[in-house]
Amino acid sequence: MSETGGVREVKSAARTVELLELLAARGDRPARLQELADELGVPRSSMYALLQTLISRGWVRTDVTGSLYGIGIHALLTGTSYLDSDPRVRVVRPYLDEASEALGETIHMGRLDGRDVAYLATRESHEYLRTISRVGRRLPAHAGALGKALLAERPDTELPEGPYEALTPNSHTSRESLAADLAQVRARGWSADREEGVLGIVGFGFALRYDTPALDAISCSVPVARLTPEHEERIVAVMREIRAKAEATVPESGSVRWR
């Protein structure tokens, strides 16, 4: 049994969290009982009992046959509460609106979570609308502007060994390639994702340095077809100004400091 901060991990609690994370990661692909039992390495009977408990509390849902399982609505309610109660998100949201109005492009706010970036807020472009909101979703940090802006705030010694997942042919797949890119990010003060996470989309990322090292970042995403040198120059100028405003509007010192 593992330990965290000297406290022994509670096996049943860990298993519950692992199950919820697994279901969340599957998205619109519901799972069968045996799949979940095999994936988490637990007896089928134990998995069934855990699922029934979570179904009764709204954390897991099942289909009319009772054979397929997916994440439940209480996960959404908890996630929404996280966003509503986070002082950093409240501070940055108005500036996302300002950047969106000034540039007419999609603006994101994300937070580093292990090797991924979790999307906390998005303002969609009227010119390029996604069918599914990114809020609450994750992207590998090495494959996007938000993530690279945040990785550049840390020493390269903290980068995981490769190979990294290739989301597109342009994604970094080696530690050496990513480290060379991050050196450029540090030199200019912002990151660029040139179709590394999504083909046809270029992103520009800016770490928000109200924490050290930075945990949050903002970015601007643009379809390649609309990106000209002049537009890129304006994006960088506007996003730098937005970053400065957000960093200057830090919640008062009396706010809770989460870790």
Side-chain angles (χ1 to χ4, degrees):
M1 185 175 292
S2 64
E3 296 189 2
T4 303
V7 178
R8 290 169 63 84
E9 182 178 80
V10 179
K11 187 174 182 180
S12 59
R15 181 175 294 173
T16 300
V17 171
E18 290 168 359
L19 172 60
L20 292 173
E21 290 181 341
L22 175 58
L23 290 173
R26 292 179 65 91
D28 62 354
R29 296 179 296 111
R32 296 187 180 275
L33 173 61
Q34 194 61 55
E35 290 180 273
L36 297 172
D38 292 343
E39 182 72 21
L40 297 182
V42 301
R44 181 186 173 96
S45 58
S46 299
M47 178 56 65
Y48 180 77
L50 178 55
L51 285 167
Q52 295 308 307
T53 299
L54 294 173
I55 288 170
S56 69
R57 295 176 178 270
W59 285 91
V60 172
R61 59 180 171 173
T62 187
D63 70 331
V64 294
T65 69
S67 61
L68 295 174
Y69 302 93
I71 197 71
I73 195 169
H74 278 214
L76 170 63
L77 300 178
T78 300
T80 301
S81 176
Y82 176 89
L83 294 175
D84 290 343
S85 66
D86 189 278
R88 303 308 202 217
V89 177
R90 287 201 303 271
V91 164
V92 175
R93 274 175 175 158
Y95 299 116
L96 301 184
D97 294 334
E98 184 177 338
S100 177
E101 291 173 7
L103 297 170
E105 305 293 354
T106 299
I107 311 297
H108 299 293
M109 176 188 183
R111 179 166 295 163
L112 192 64
D113 181 26
R115 297 179 62 168
D116 298 332
V117 166
Y119 285 78
L120 303 181
T122 293
R123 298 294 181 266
E124 296 285 1
S125 166
H126 295 301
E127 301 293 332
Y128 176 77
L129 290 174
R130 288 187 177 86
T131 57
I132 299 177
S133 172
R134 277 202 175 183
V135 174
R137 298 178 182 272
R138 302 162 69 90
L139 185 73
H142 71 273
L146 289 169
K148 291 197 296 180
L150 292 168
L151 292 178
E153 297 292 304
R154 292 155 173 78
D156 289 343
T157 53
E158 294 185 12
L159 293 177
E161 296 295 333
Y164 304 149
E165 178 184 6
L167 301 187
T168 77
N170 300 320
S171 301
H172 291 292
T173 56
S174 72
R175 195 172 188 268
E176 293 73 23
S177 174
L178 179 60
D181 190 342
L182 297 181
Q184 297 180 31
V185 175
R186 296 183 188 107
R188 65 176 176 247
W190 49 273
S191 66
D193 155 23
R194 300 190 185 276
E195 300 185 81
E196 297 164 38
V198 179
L199 288 175
I201 299 295
V202 176
F204 303 92
F206 301 77
L208 297 174
R209 300 184 179 113
Y210 41 56
D211 293 310
T212 305
L215 290 173
D216 299 342
I218 55 176
S219 71
C220 177
S221 297
V222 192
V224 172
R226 281 214 307 277
L227 186 62
T228 64
E230 294 76 19
H231 193 30
E232 178 170 332
E233 183 176 346
R234 173 161 169 71
I235 288 170
V236 171
V238 169
M239 293 300 288
R240 276 178 163 163
E241 181 180 349
I242 293 297
R243 169 169 63 183
K245 290 180 178 180
E247 289 175 342
T249 316
V250 180
E252 61 275 10
S253 59
S255 298
V256 175
R257 298 282 290 178
W258 301 105
R259 59 172 180 163

